[in-house]
Amino acid sequence: MSTWKGRDVLNILDFSRGDLEELFELAKKYKEDLKNHRVNRILEGYVIALAFFEPSTRTRMSFETAAKRLGAATVGFTSGEGTSIEKGETLADTIQMLDSYADLIVIRSKFEGSAILASEVAVHPVINGGDGKQHHPTQAMLDLFTVTELFGSPDGLTYAVVGDLRYGRAASSFLLGLTRFNPEKVILVSPKQLRARPEVLMTLMDSGIRYHESDLETALEEADVVYVTRIQKERFPDPAEYEKVKGSYRITRGLLEAKAKNGLKILHPLPRVDEISHDVDNTEWQAYFIQAANGIPVRMALLSLVLKGDEL
Amino acid sequence: MSTWKGRDVLNILDFSRGDLEELFELAKKYKEDLKNHRVNRILEGYVIALAFFEPSTRTRMSFETAAKRLGAATVGFTSGEGTSIEKGETLADTIQMLDSYADLIVIRSKFEGSAILASEVAVHPVINGGDGKQHHPTQAMLDLFTVTELFGSPDGLTYAVVGDLRYGRAASSFLLGLTRFNPEKVILVSPKQLRARPEVLMTLMDSGIRYHESDLETALEEADVVYVTRIQKERFPDPAEYEKVKGSYRITRGLLEAKAKNGLKILHPLPRVDEISHDVDNTEWQAYFIQAANGIPVRMALLSLVLKGDEL
Amino acid sequence: MSTWKGRDVLNILDFSRGDLEELFELAKKYKEDLKNHRVNRILEGYVIALAFFEPSTRTRMSFETAAKRLGAATVGFTSGEGTSIEKGETLADTIQMLDSYADLIVIRSKFEGSAILASEVAVHPVINGGDGKQHHPTQAMLDLFTVTELFGSPDGLTYAVVGDLRYGRAASSFLLGLTRFNPEKVILVSPKQLRARPEVLMTLMDSGIRYHESDLETALEEADVVYVTRIQKERFPDPAEYEKVKGSYRITRGLLEAKAKNGLKILHPLPRVDEISHDVDNTEWQAYFIQAANGIPVRMALLSLVLKGDEL
C-alpha cells in the first residue's frame, strides 16, 4: 500500500527505502512512456504552484515539464522579485494564498526551513525544491534513481562525493539519501573549508555507513559512483586560495583514463562550471546528462504519487 | 438574459446589481465545483493574455489559475521590463498585438486610464486588473462576493473602510461597488493625508449612501464589515509622521476582543504588512483568507461570462 | 512529400520555395480555423522549450500562443537573467538539458551562431527565434506569407527595404527570403552607416535579383511592398547625427498621399518607434498589424510541420 498520497516532501530522510523503490518503479514506467511518446493526462485539472523565490533553471523547468507532461497546469513565479514578499508580506501569507489557488506547492528558497514553514501553513502538499544548505530531496531522488538504473540498485557500491560538501545541498541530500540503502562505503573529497557538515556525518554514522576523507585520485580508483559538485569561488575569503584549490577537484578525460575504476560513473547535479572537463561528455563515464534527463520521469512519478497515491 | 458576453471590465460602476448577482451566482457554483474537485474545461481552446506592466502576485496568479482551471491557456508578461514598451513602443501598439494573439486581455498598469485605452484599441474584451489609484473592479467583485457569502447580501450592513483611501485602488473600488447595493452606512477611517478622493465621496453621496469619518475604535464598535488596506510609508514625506500614524490603524486580537461588534468580519485585499496582527488569523473575525481564495471562483465566473455569456 | 519533419529552422536560406509554399498553405488553413474559432489540439502532449536569452515580446508570445492554440505546452525563460548561464554554465549544457525535457527548442539570443550551436547539441529540432544580426527566419516566413496573402505571390513585385539594413536581422532575413521568389527588383533605403551587409547583397546578386540604393521618396513611388525597420539611436556614435538622419526615414500619411504607388503596402516587423506615423494605421497602406497577427498561424504551421510533417 502506497503511503505517498498527500505527503509533504521536505527531507529525503522522511522516506523509507520502500517509498523510494515505489517512486523509482513508477519513474521507470514513465520514462518508458516518454520514450514511446505515449501521452498521459492523468493530472489534467490539477494546478501546481511553483513558488521559486530563488531562481533555478533545471529544477523549476523540470517540475514544470513533469507537471505539463501529465496534463497539469502550473502557476507561479521564477524569482522573489516583484512578489508580495517585496512589499513586506510574510512567507506564511504568500503560502496561504498559493494554498488556496493550487493543489500542490513546490517551493524553492535560499532560506533554511522555508519548506517546513510552508508545509505547516498549507493544507495541500508541499514539495521542497531546494532550501538552505542541506535539503534538496527531489534531487536526491533522481540521483538515486539514476544509480538504480545504472547499477541495478544503490546497494553494495562505493561512492565518492566531491566538491562543496558544506554548502552544497545536492551533495548533502545525496549523502542523506544513501542511508536508505546499503552502500559499501563513502569517500568524501573536498577542500578543508568545505567539508561535510557534522549533522550529515552523524546521520551516516548512525546508519552504519563507513566513510572517510580522501583525495580525488584515490576516489577515482575506488569508487563506482563519483558525485561531483561545483566549488563556488564566493566560498573562499581569499581568491588566491580558491585558485590554488580548484585544480585538485577537476576531472578530465586524461585523469579518468589513468585512474578510473572499471565501470565508474560520474554524476553531477549541474550546472557545472569547469569541475568536469567537456572531453568527458562523450565517454562511458558520463552519467550526468542521463541524470538530468531523469529529472522529468522522477518528478512526474513524484507529482502523481503525492496527488493520486494508490488511485494511479 | 445575460449582458456579460464580450463586455470590457474597466470600472465597477459599469455593472448593475443584476450583473453582479449573476456573477456571484456562477462564482458560487464554481466554488462548489472546486471543493468537489469537479474538472471543468469550458474554456479549452481559448487564449488569455495577461499584460501585467506592473508586478502583481495575487491578481496575476489568480487570473492565471482561474483561466487554467477552466482549460484556457495564458500568455503574457509579469512586468514591463523586457517588453517592447521599453524599446519605445506605444501601449496602443502592444495592445494591438495582444489583441491579435488572444481572445481576452487582462491588463495591469500603474497608469490611470491604461485599461480604457486598451479597450479602445482591442476588438476582444479587456479586463482591468488594476490601473492607477481608483480602479480595480475585479477586486471589488470578489470583495462583494465575499460579503454576500458571509452575510447573505451586502444590503443593510455597516461598512468601515480603513487605511489609505486616497491612493489605494482596492478601497476606492470597494466604496464604488457598494453603491450597487444598499448599505446601512459607511465609516471612513484614514490619516488626514490619505482621505478618500472627492470623486469617490461624490459617487457615494449621489447614490444616497450615508458616510462619515471616524476613528478605528468607533469603526470596530459599529461596523459589520471592516475593510482594511495597507498604509504605505512612501506616502508620507516625513517618516516620523508615518511612525506616529501607523499605530492608530493597527488591528489586533486584543483590540477586537475589547471593541468588535458582534459578527464583525475583517476583509483585506492583501498583501498586509502589519495593519492586521497575525494573532487575528485564527479568529472568527478573519475573512481575508476566505476573500483571497474567492479570487479564483469569482475570476473563473468573470472569464466565462465575458467569453461565453449565455452559452454557458 | 513534405521535407519538414524534424528539421531545424536556422536560416531562411535553408528552405526552398516549395517548402515555404507548403508552410503558407497550412498557415492559410490555420488562419481560417482561428477566424472560425475551430479548436485544434493536434500537438497535445508535446512540450516546447522557449529559450529566450534575449527578451522579446512579439516573437516569444507568438510562439507561445501558436503552441498553446494547438494544445502543446511550453516551458522556458524570458531572459538570460537567473538562468544557469549566469552561474557559468555553457550554452551547450543548457541546450542539452532543454533537449532532454522538451520535444522542440525555440532559441533567441543576441549572439550570432547560438541557434546553430544549439542545433548541433540537440537531438530535437531547434528553431531560431532570432540570433545575431542576420537571422530571424520565422520573421521572414511570416513576412513572405503576408506578401503572398496581400498580392497572391511574392513574385513580380518591387520591394523597398528601409531603415537599419546592417544590424536589423528582420530586414536581412527578409532580403534573403526574397531570393526564394522572383521579385521585380529591390530598393534599399538606409543611412550610409546602416547599409545592407555585403554577404546579403552577394546573395541577392547570386540569385539574379536586381537591387539599387535610393531615397525614401523614390522608394514610395516605385515599390509595391515597403518593408520598414527601426533605426536605433544607439547605432550612431554622435546623437546629433542620428537626429539629422531620422527625419528622412519617417513615413507619414501626408508623404504617402503625395508619393505612394497605387496599391502600396507597408510592412514592419514591429515594434516601431516613430518611423511610421500613427496616422498611417487606419489607411489602406497599413499592413503591419495584419503581418503581426500572421505570426500566429505561420508559427502554428511551422510547429506542426516540424513536429508532425506528413502525419498532419
Side-chain angles (χ1 to χ4, degrees):
Chain A
M1 252 249 325
S2 178
T3 65
W4 277 97
K5 190 170 175 184
R7 275 175 91 171
D8 297 314
V9 178
L10 303 175
N11 180 337
I12 188 69
L13 293 175
D14 299 339
F15 297 86
S16 70
R17 178 178 186 129
D19 293 334
L20 296 175
E21 286 172 346
E22 186 186 354
L23 178 76
F24 298 165
E25 208 50 54
L26 186 58
K28 191 177 161 189
K29 178 195 163 304
Y30 282 153
K31 189 167 179 175
E32 205 57 34
D33 286 352
L34 289 172
K35 221 175 74 188
N36 296 300
H37 304 285
R38 271 195 287 271
V39 174
N40 180 338
R41 311 279 294 172
I42 201 183
L43 297 186
E44 190 159 272
Y46 285 85
V47 173
I48 290 167
L50 301 175
F52 279 67
F53 293 99
E54 191 186 47
S56 149
T57 312
R58 227 162 296 264
T59 304
R60 176 179 64 80
M61 286 184 58
S62 74
F63 267 112
E64 196 171 345
T65 305
K68 290 176 175 175
R69 288 262 181 227
L70 293 168
T74 62
V75 297
F77 40 86
T78 60
S79 83
E81 217 179 296
T83 64
S84 299
I85 298 278
E86 280 197 343
K87 298 183 191 166
E89 188 175 58
T90 62
L91 177 63
D93 276 13
T94 302
I95 295 298
Q96 183 91 40
M97 164 191 67
L98 294 172
D99 193 40
S100 70
Y101 290 3
D103 302 299
L104 182 152
I105 299 168
V106 181
I107 180 173
R108 162 85 156 239
S109 159
K110 63 171 175 258
F111 300 111
E112 200 86 34
S114 302
I116 294 178
L117 173 62
S119 76
E120 284 163 359
V121 172
V123 172
H124 292 104
V126 168
I127 295 180
N128 184 357
D131 73 333
K133 301 167 206 70
Q134 209 135 296
H135 297 301
H136 196 347
T138 67
Q139 178 71 45
M141 287 167 182
L142 74 92
D143 296 342
L144 291 163
F145 172 76
T146 306
V147 172
T148 304
E149 199 184 32
L150 294 168
F151 293 91
S153 149
D155 293 339
L157 302 173
T158 294
Y159 296 83
V161 186
V162 178
D164 179 353
L165 309 185
R166 184 170 176 75
Y167 302 107
R169 56 194 167 207
S172 287
S173 278
F174 183 70
L175 286 168
L176 297 175
L178 286 177
T179 67
R180 269 46 199 146
F181 299 91
N182 301 304
E184 173 63 24
K185 71 168 176 170
V186 171
I187 303 168
L188 304 168
V189 182
S190 67
K192 66 176 187 304
Q193 300 90 329
L194 301 176
R195 292 218 176 114
R197 309 173 75 83
E199 59 278 27
V200 173
L201 296 177
M202 211 99 82
T203 310
L204 290 180
M205 214 181 300
D206 288 353
S207 306
I209 295 181
R210 289 191 302 141
Y211 66 86
H212 62 87
E213 298 186 347
S214 190
D215 57 24
L216 184 60
E217 301 206 351
T218 313
L220 295 178
E221 286 166 352
E222 300 188 8
D224 302 292
V225 174
V226 179
Y227 193 100
V228 186
T229 62
R230 204 153 42 105
I231 292 179
Q232 292 175 265
K233 206 174 183 166
E234 309 85 85
R235 300 299 181 200
F236 292 80
D238 179 357
E241 188 70 13
Y242 167 74
E243 292 303 325
K244 220 163 58 192
V245 147
K246 80 171 177 180
S248 335
Y249 298 90
R250 181 150 204 267
I251 295 178
T252 61
R253 187 173 190 149
L255 187 62
L256 286 163
E257 282 167 351
K259 301 286 179 184
K261 179 173 173 184
N262 198 17
L264 176 151
K265 295 288 179 185
I266 298 174
L267 297 184
H268 191 302
L270 305 182
R272 70 171 151 178
V273 181
D274 52 14
E275 54 280 4
I276 302 174
S277 118
H278 285 265
D279 61 9
V280 178
D281 293 1
N282 294 308
T283 69
E284 287 293 308
W285 294 300
Q286 180 267 102
Y288 34 90
F289 292 141
I290 300 167
Q291 176 192 11
N294 282 338
I296 306 300
V298 170
R299 290 187 171 109
M300 286 169 73
L302 185 66
L303 293 175
S304 39
L305 282 170
V306 169
L307 286 168
K308 295 255 178 180
D310 272 339
E311 299 158 48
L312 285 173
Chain B
M1 253 244 332
S2 178
T3 65
W4 277 96
K5 191 170 176 184
R7 274 175 92 170
D8 296 314
V9 179
L10 303 176
N11 180 336
I12 188 70
L13 293 176
D14 299 338
F15 297 86
S16 69
R17 178 177 186 131
D19 292 334
L20 296 175
E21 286 172 345
E22 186 185 355
L23 179 77
F24 297 166
E25 208 50 52
L26 185 58
K28 191 177 160 189
K29 178 195 163 305
Y30 281 153
K31 188 166 180 176
E32 204 57 33
D33 286 353
L34 289 171
K35 221 176 75 189
N36 294 302
H37 304 286
R38 271 195 288 271
V39 174
N40 180 340
R41 310 281 292 172
I42 202 183
L43 297 185
E44 189 159 272
Y46 285 86
V47 172
I48 290 167
L50 301 176
F52 278 68
F53 293 98
E54 190 187 47
S56 149
T57 312
R58 225 161 296 264
T59 304
R60 176 178 66 81
M61 288 184 59
S62 74
F63 267 112
E64 196 171 347
T65 304
K68 290 175 174 176
R69 289 262 181 226
L70 293 168
T74 62
V75 298
F77 41 86
T78 59
S79 82
E81 219 179 295
T83 63
S84 298
I85 298 279
E86 280 197 342
K87 298 184 190 165
E89 187 175 58
T90 62
L91 177 63
D93 276 13
T94 302
I95 295 298
Q96 182 92 38
M97 165 192 67
L98 294 172
D99 193 40
S100 71
Y101 290 3
D103 303 299
L104 183 152
I105 300 167
V106 181
I107 180 172
R108 162 85 156 238
S109 160
K110 65 172 173 257
F111 300 111
E112 199 86 34
S114 302
I116 294 179
L117 174 62
S119 75
E120 284 163 358
V121 173
V123 171
H124 292 105
V126 168
I127 295 179
N128 184 357
D131 73 334
K133 301 168 206 73
Q134 207 135 299
H135 296 300
H136 196 348
T138 68
Q139 178 70 46
M141 286 168 183
L142 74 91
D143 297 341
L144 291 163
F145 172 76
T146 306
V147 172
T148 304
E149 199 184 32
L150 294 168
F151 293 92
S153 149
D155 293 338
L157 303 173
T158 293
Y159 296 84
V161 186
V162 177
D164 180 352
L165 309 186
R166 183 169 177 76
Y167 302 106
R169 57 194 168 207
S172 286
S173 278
F174 183 70
L175 286 168
L176 296 176
L178 285 178
T179 66
R180 270 44 199 146
F181 298 92
N182 301 304
E184 173 63 24
K185 69 169 177 170
V186 172
I187 303 167
L188 304 168
V189 182
S190 67
K192 68 176 186 303
Q193 300 91 329
L194 301 176
R195 292 218 176 114
R197 308 173 75 83
E199 59 277 29
V200 173
L201 296 178
M202 211 100 81
T203 310
L204 289 182
M205 214 181 302
D206 288 352
S207 306
I209 294 180
R210 289 191 302 141
Y211 66 85
H212 63 85
E213 299 187 344
S214 190
D215 57 23
L216 184 60
E217 301 206 353
T218 313
L220 296 178
E221 286 166 351
E222 299 188 10
D224 302 292
V225 174
V226 179
Y227 194 99
V228 185
T229 63
R230 202 152 44 103
I231 293 178
Q232 291 175 266
K233 207 174 182 166
E234 307 87 87
R235 300 297 182 201
F236 291 79
D238 178 358
E241 187 70 12
Y242 168 73
E243 291 304 324
K244 220 162 59 191
V245 147
K246 81 172 176 180
S248 337
Y249 298 90
R250 183 151 202 266
I251 295 178
T252 61
R253 187 174 189 147
L255 187 62
L256 286 162
E257 282 167 350
K259 300 286 178 184
K261 178 172 174 184
N262 197 17
L264 176 152
K265 295 289 179 184
I266 297 174
L267 298 184
H268 191 302
L270 306 181
R272 70 171 150 178
V273 181
D274 52 15
E275 55 280 4
I276 303 174
S277 118
H278 285 265
D279 61 11
V280 179
D281 293 2
N282 295 309
T283 69
E284 287 293 309
W285 295 298
Q286 180 268 101
Y288 35 91
F289 292 141
I290 300 167
Q291 176 193 10
N294 282 339
I296 306 301
V298 171
R299 290 186 171 109
M300 286 169 75
L302 185 66
L303 293 174
S304 39
L305 282 171
V306 169
L307 286 168
K308 294 256 180 180
D310 272 339
E311 299 159 48
L312 284 174
Chain C
M1 251 240 337
S2 178
T3 65
W4 277 97
K5 190 170 176 184
R7 275 175 92 172
D8 297 314
V9 178
L10 303 175
N11 180 335
I12 188 70
L13 293 175
D14 299 339
F15 297 85
S16 69
R17 178 176 186 131
D19 292 334
L20 296 176
E21 286 173 345
E22 186 187 353
L23 178 77
F24 298 165
E25 207 51 53
L26 186 58
K28 191 177 159 187
K29 178 193 163 305
Y30 282 153
K31 188 166 178 176
E32 204 59 31
D33 286 353
L34 290 171
K35 221 176 73 188
N36 296 301
H37 304 284
R38 272 195 286 271
V39 174
N40 181 338
R41 311 281 293 174
I42 201 183
L43 297 185
E44 190 160 272
Y46 284 86
V47 172
I48 290 167
L50 301 175
F52 278 68
F53 293 98
E54 190 186 48
S56 149
T57 312
R58 226 163 297 264
T59 304
R60 176 179 65 79
M61 288 184 59
S62 74
F63 267 112
E64 196 172 346
T65 305
K68 290 176 175 175
R69 288 261 182 226
L70 293 169
T74 63
V75 298
F77 39 86
T78 59
S79 82
E81 219 179 295
T83 64
S84 298
I85 297 279
E86 280 197 343
K87 298 182 189 166
E89 187 175 57
T90 62
L91 177 62
D93 276 14
T94 303
I95 295 297
Q96 183 92 40
M97 164 192 67
L98 294 172
D99 193 40
S100 71
Y101 291 3
D103 304 299
L104 182 152
I105 300 168
V106 181
I107 181 174
R108 161 85 157 238
S109 159
K110 63 171 174 259
F111 301 110
E112 200 85 34
S114 303
I116 294 178
L117 174 63
S119 75
E120 285 164 359
V121 173
V123 172
H124 292 105
V126 169
I127 295 179
N128 184 356
D131 72 334
K133 299 168 207 72
Q134 209 135 297
H135 297 300
H136 197 348
T138 67
Q139 178 71 45
M141 286 168 182
L142 74 91
D143 297 341
L144 291 163
F145 172 77
T146 305
V147 172
T148 305
E149 199 184 32
L150 293 169
F151 293 91
S153 150
D155 293 338
L157 303 174
T158 294
Y159 296 83
V161 186
V162 178
D164 180 353
L165 309 186
R166 183 170 176 74
Y167 302 106
R169 56 195 167 205
S172 286
S173 278
F174 183 70
L175 286 168
L176 297 175
L178 286 178
T179 67
R180 270 43 198 148
F181 298 91
N182 301 303
E184 173 62 24
K185 70 169 177 172
V186 171
I187 304 168
L188 304 168
V189 182
S190 67
K192 67 175 186 302
Q193 300 90 329
L194 301 176
R195 292 219 175 114
R197 309 174 75 83
E199 58 280 27
V200 173
L201 295 178
M202 211 99 82
T203 311
L204 288 181
M205 214 181 301
D206 288 352
S207 306
I209 294 181
R210 289 190 302 141
Y211 66 85
H212 64 86
E213 298 185 345
S214 190
D215 57 24
L216 184 60
E217 300 206 354
T218 312
L220 296 178
E221 286 166 353
E222 299 188 8
D224 302 293
V225 174
V226 179
Y227 193 99
V228 185
T229 63
R230 206 152 40 104
I231 293 179
Q232 292 175 265
K233 206 173 182 167
E234 308 86 87
R235 300 297 182 201
F236 291 80
D238 178 356
E241 188 70 12
Y242 168 74
E243 292 303 325
K244 220 161 62 191
V245 146
K246 80 171 178 181
S248 337
Y249 298 90
R250 185 151 201 265
I251 295 178
T252 60
R253 187 174 189 150
L255 187 61
L256 287 163
E257 281 167 352
K259 301 285 177 184
K261 179 175 173 183
N262 196 17
L264 177 152
K265 295 289 179 183
I266 298 174
L267 298 184
H268 190 302
L270 305 183
R272 70 171 150 177
V273 182
D274 51 16
E275 53 281 2
I276 302 173
S277 119
H278 285 264
D279 61 10
V280 178
D281 293 1
N282 294 310
T283 69
E284 286 293 308
W285 295 298
Q286 181 268 100
Y288 34 90
F289 293 141
I290 299 167
Q291 175 192 12
N294 282 339
I296 306 302
V298 170
R299 290 186 170 110
M300 287 169 73
L302 184 67
L303 293 174
S304 39
L305 282 170
V306 169
L307 287 167
K308 295 256 177 178
D310 272 339
E311 299 159 46
L312 285 174

